[in-house]
């Protein structure tokens, strides 16, 4: 699954705005998500990449802790066989917002 396919299915299922890396201009009102690529975890054999695994960080931003929406995000991962690891919540004092971080893996076809 590539980023565009993932983002489209995610937005349809969760109704959350989602973008890669940053919003052009101002972000939408809360809640919303960002995707960031972190180092890949490709599998190699016979001098080539035979399985491309994109490690991705999904950041969920909200005004306050939003367990209901986080459950919706996790349900989307489960329903679409997306392996994920919840990294926890951070309050961004300078931005006056909550950030929940998930690490996921997308297998590129």
């Amino acid at each position: 699954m590539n980023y565009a396919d993932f983002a489209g299915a995610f937005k349809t299922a969760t109704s959350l705005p989602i973008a890669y890396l940053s919003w052009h201009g101002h972000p939408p009102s809360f809640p919303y998500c960002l995707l960031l690529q972190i180092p890949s975890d490709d599998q190699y054999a016979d001098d080539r990449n035979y399985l491309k695994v994109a490690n991705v960080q999904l950041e969920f931003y909200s005004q306050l802790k939003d367990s209901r929406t986080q459950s919706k995000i996790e349900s989307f991962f489960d329903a679409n066989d997306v392996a994920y690891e919840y990294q926890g919540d951070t309050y961004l004092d300078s931005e006056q917002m909550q950030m929940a971080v998930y690490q996921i893996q997308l297998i590129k076809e």
Side-chain angles (χ1 to χ4, degrees):
M1 181 181 293
N2 64 34
Y3 291 110
D5 293 340
F6 175 85
F10 182 86
K11 185 174 182 177
T12 299
T14 65
S15 300
L16 290 168
I18 188 167
Y20 181 77
L21 195 56
S22 67
W23 293 95
H24 299 291
H26 295 286
S29 56
F30 297 114
Y32 61 86
C33 295
L34 285 176
L35 291 174
L36 300 97
Q37 183 162 352
I38 54 180
S40 67
D41 204 12
D42 292 356
Q43 302 297 308
Y44 309 95
D46 299 325
D47 297 323
R48 67 181 189 95
N49 297 41
Y50 76 90
L51 181 64
K52 295 184 179 188
V53 181
N55 290 322
V56 178
Q57 184 167 297
L58 184 139
E59 298 175 349
F60 168 64
Y61 295 94
S62 57
Q63 192 76 45
L64 301 169
K65 175 75 174 167
D66 188 347
S67 297
R68 181 178 292 177
T69 303
Q70 284 181 246
S71 291
K72 191 187 290 189
I73 291 169
E74 292 170 10
S75 293
F76 170 80
F77 293 154
D78 292 338
N80 289 278
D81 297 324
V82 175
Y84 71 93
E85 183 178 332
Y86 174 63
Q87 298 290 307
D89 296 324
T90 302
Y91 185 75
L92 305 173
D93 196 40
S94 62
E95 303 292 329
Q96 304 270 309
M97 68 173 85
Q98 184 86 20
M99 178 180 70
V101 176
Y102 294 89
Q103 286 190 2
I104 62 174
Q105 291 189 318
L106 300 178
I107 308 299
K108 297 179 183 178
E109 299 173 4

